[in-house]
Amino acid sequence: MKYIAHRGNTNGITEFENKIEYLKHAYSLGHGLEVDIRHHNNKLYFGHDEPQEEIDNELVTRPDVFVHLKDFKSVELLAHRKDINMFWHNNDEMVFTTHGYIWCYPGNNITHTKSIWLCLNDTPIPSVIPDIYGICMDNIRQQ
């Protein structure tokens, strides 16, 4: 099972979320990444609520990087890209990524080898974890 660093976080939420060097550091530790991408002024940026840094095209095409598109324009601009594993969701119980992974909303833990459970904030990690692909979280170092 793979741990996926939510916005690059490995030891709790910080102000460095979605910053390129922070993301690369989490990836260098052997974790997958969930990154947020949004559109602003005809460019694509990392950032959850606001644009932060222009995207790093090499980083977003790496294995185990899951790109969360934050707005419709980002979807329009990236929909043709087969090399990026991306998804968009609002409050859906689960969604499929473009590479066929099942991204599960917190508490909707689907058991499948391609499932990724989202365990954020106070969402408890189940004591028994079946054969799933991974868990996306902010506090990987506590595991």
Side-chain angles (χ1 to χ4, degrees):
M1 189 204 59
K2 186 91 173 168
Y3 284 109
I4 299 163
H6 182 243
R7 303 178 192 155
N9 294 321
T10 60
N11 197 27
I13 297 170
T14 76
E15 69 273 13
F16 302 111
E17 290 184 340
N18 284 310
K19 299 282 178 106
I20 293 171
E21 291 308 313
Y22 189 66
L23 296 168
K24 287 181 176 180
H25 175 71
Y27 195 85
S28 75
L29 297 174
H31 305 305
L33 295 174
E34 183 271 352
V35 303
D36 298 317
I37 291 182
R38 61 176 44 262
H39 171 265
H40 181 71
N41 290 337
N42 294 317
K43 292 182 181 179
L44 293 169
Y45 293 86
F46 289 116
H48 183 265
D49 296 316
E50 299 293 329
Q52 293 172 232
E53 296 178 310
E54 282 192 58
I55 67 166
D56 179 323
N57 276 296
E58 187 275 329
L59 179 62
V60 298
T61 60
R62 291 181 185 179
D64 295 321
V65 174
F66 298 85
V67 174
H68 183 179
L69 302 174
K70 302 304 289 182
D71 53 50
F72 291 132
K73 189 65 175 176
S74 297
V75 173
E76 290 174 4
L77 292 172
L78 292 174
H80 71 283
R81 298 279 303 264
K82 305 290 185 217
D83 58 338
I84 299 175
N85 189 14
M86 56 194 149
F87 66 97
W88 183 91
H89 78 98
N90 195 358
N91 290 320
D92 306 290
E93 293 179 359
M94 65 87 189
V95 295
F96 288 96
T97 73
T98 55
H99 290 183
Y101 292 88
I102 306 165
W103 196 265
C104 301
Y105 196 77
N108 296 307
N109 298 338
I110 296 170
T111 301
H112 190 278
T113 57
K114 297 277 277 195
S115 289
I116 298 167
W117 295 356
L118 192 55
C119 295
L120 304 176
N121 305 321
D122 296 328
T123 304
I125 297 174
S127 57
V128 176
I129 300 172
D131 187 19
I132 62 171
Y133 189 78
I135 296 179
C136 179
M137 56 193 311
D138 293 304
N139 288 301
I140 295 171
R141 290 191 181 160
Q142 293 182 4
Q143 301 310 308

